[in-house]
Amino acid sequence: MINHQSFPYSIFLKLLRSELWQTPLDFNLELNHVEFNALYDLASKQAMLGMIANSLIRNKVVLTREDVMKILAIQGRVAKSNKALNSELHLLCKLCADNGIETIVVKGQTIGSYYPNPLARTPGDIDFFCNKTNLPKMISVMKKNWGISTEGKPSEQHYTLSHNSIPLELHHCLMKFASNKSQKIWDDIFYSHKSVSVYVDGCNVPTLEPTINVLYTFLHLYHHLFELGVGLRQFSDVAILLKTYYNVIDKEKFLYWLDSLDFRKAFDVVQLILVKVLGMDEKYILSPLACDKKSIEAMNLFMNVVWFGGNFGFYGHNRKYKYKAQYFLVTTYRKLQLYYRFYRFSPREIKASIFYSIPHKALMAIKGDLKGI
């Protein structure tokens, strides 16, 4: 078990909280080169380099000259990456508008726009969804106008594409559950609500309405957490949404959805992490905060997975294998370990994962079809 109060974890969290909530450090900080490198490695694993760079600069942390230059370079690089994604997002929105295509953009830049400094959030790709009516038209328009093709079989949820060196994920399924019951509940929730717009760097971008946005962002985080792991960037996204949508979220509906999907216990732990680890104000919580011994133990269980695996579990295991089947076997073993740990927080979904999802993917692997595995 990792001691969250030890260096560099304690300093990393203090700097992150400072940047998330725009509060000053309550002490003067000086880091030597070895300490800086430890902090840098941790921030990198958690996809938080831009946030930590901003915090170090804003709080006037004393660093070596070499490390100051590195921090300034990081800050510039993350900002440049965000600007590139924003430009691509503008092009995507224009392409859809010009061709009368309805789409919904999720996560990424649509949440980043709510951060204190949107250019400091480490960007990823552009995730967007088209329903069955708009999907064929979207594929055709992208091929005709951008010269990119969706040839080949997509994963269970999306096509992986690239335009102007920016990774794109065109979703035909926004959220995939192993449980058929949960899938139907989610589909009913998702397809019964309209999109709203969020202003991203001068462009109105269609995204999920607030209550569903929080639900989806949490579900995406938690699915990755009990599959292979997830970093603190995803937790920060949920915290920022809760703060942004404070007094707008329909709490009664949100908690009803969580109970229906059987993820209420998992959300309670994530919410505890947002408050105790990330320092989110308790006024933004959506359900009563439990701080008893059992809840703290659950929080530590979640956080051990976060610290071990880093962003999307990339650092928790070797991802380089000669054969994809080897990767499948190793990750399946890791998933089964996590399923055992997380079963009590979402039994329906994990039970379905064990008895349906894994056997289905194993059959695909045997047939040599490893797309999306």
Side-chain angles (χ1 to χ4, degrees), residues 191-228:
Y191 287 109
S192 65
H193 287 76
K194 295 182 179 180
S195 65
V196 296
S197 292
V198 57
Y199 198 65
V200 180
D201 194 23
C203 177
N204 283 315
V205 180
T207 192
L208 299 168
E209 63 90 6
T211 306
I212 294 183
N213 204 350
V214 174
L215 178 66
Y216 170 71
T217 307
F218 156 70
L219 290 171
H220 176 262
L221 176 159
Y222 182 66
H223 265 90
H224 278 291
L225 184 70
F226 75 72
E227 287 285 334
L228 288 174

Side-chain angles (χ1 to χ4, degrees), residues 218 222 225-226 258 261-270 294-295 297-302 338-350:
F218 156 70
Y222 182 66
L225 184 70
F226 75 72
L258 277 181
L261 290 164
D262 192 34
F263 286 104
R264 176 72 172 269
K265 291 180 180 177
F267 178 78
D268 286 343
V269 180
V270 168
K294 189 175 180 181
S295 297
E297 288 176 350
M299 180 185 79
N300 290 334
L301 185 155
F302 277 44
L338 291 175
Y339 290 165
Y340 175 77
R341 295 188 207 177
F342 286 91
Y343 180 80
R344 69 182 186 270
F345 304 106
S346 50
R348 183 199 302 161
E349 182 64 10
I350 289 181

Side-chain angles (χ1 to χ4, degrees), residues 294-360:
K294 189 175 180 181
S295 297
I296 297 299
E297 288 176 350
M299 180 185 79
N300 290 334
L301 185 155
F302 277 44
M303 284 306 301
N304 284 336
V305 175
V306 171
W307 294 131
F308 173 76
N311 196 45
F312 294 124
F314 286 167
Y315 297 91
H317 57 274
N318 180 12
R319 298 175 68 87
K320 297 179 180 179
Y321 295 96
K322 185 176 181 180
Y323 302 105
K324 284 188 176 181
Q326 290 176 297
Y327 172 70
F328 171 73
L329 291 172
V330 171
T331 54
T332 298
Y333 176 69
R334 170 68 176 157
K335 286 178 182 181
L336 289 172
Q337 289 179 312
L338 291 175
Y339 290 165
Y340 175 77
R341 295 188 207 177
F342 286 91
Y343 180 80
R344 69 182 186 270
F345 304 106
S346 50
R348 183 199 302 161
E349 182 64 10
I350 289 181
K351 189 182 295 183
S353 296
I354 294 171
F355 292 106
Y356 170 73
S357 182
I358 285 184
H360 173 68

Side-chain angles (χ1 to χ4, degrees), residues 11-27:
I11 295 300
F12 168 77
L13 289 175
K14 285 181 172 66
L15 289 166
L16 179 55
R17 290 177 194 141
S18 173
E19 182 61 21
L20 273 174
W21 314 117
Q22 294 295 285
T23 55
L25 292 180
D26 56 4
F27 59 95

Side-chain angles (χ1 to χ4, degrees), residues 1 8 21 38-39 52 63 77 95 123 149 169 179 194 204 213 219 226 230 266 281-282 326 329 365:
M1 182 179 294
W21 314 117
L39 176 66
I52 296 302
L63 303 171
R77 187 169 67 244
L95 184 69
S149 176
E169 290 189 353
S179 162
K194 295 182 179 180
N204 283 315
N213 204 350
L219 290 171
F226 75 72
V230 75
D281 194 315
E282 284 192 40
Q326 290 176 297
L329 291 172

Side-chain angles (χ1 to χ4, degrees), residues 16-17 20-21 232 235-236 239 273-280:
L16 179 55
R17 290 177 194 141
L20 273 174
W21 314 117
L232 277 178
F235 285 86
S236 295
I273 290 172
L274 302 186
V275 173
K276 296 298 183 181
V277 178
L278 292 185
M280 185 183 78

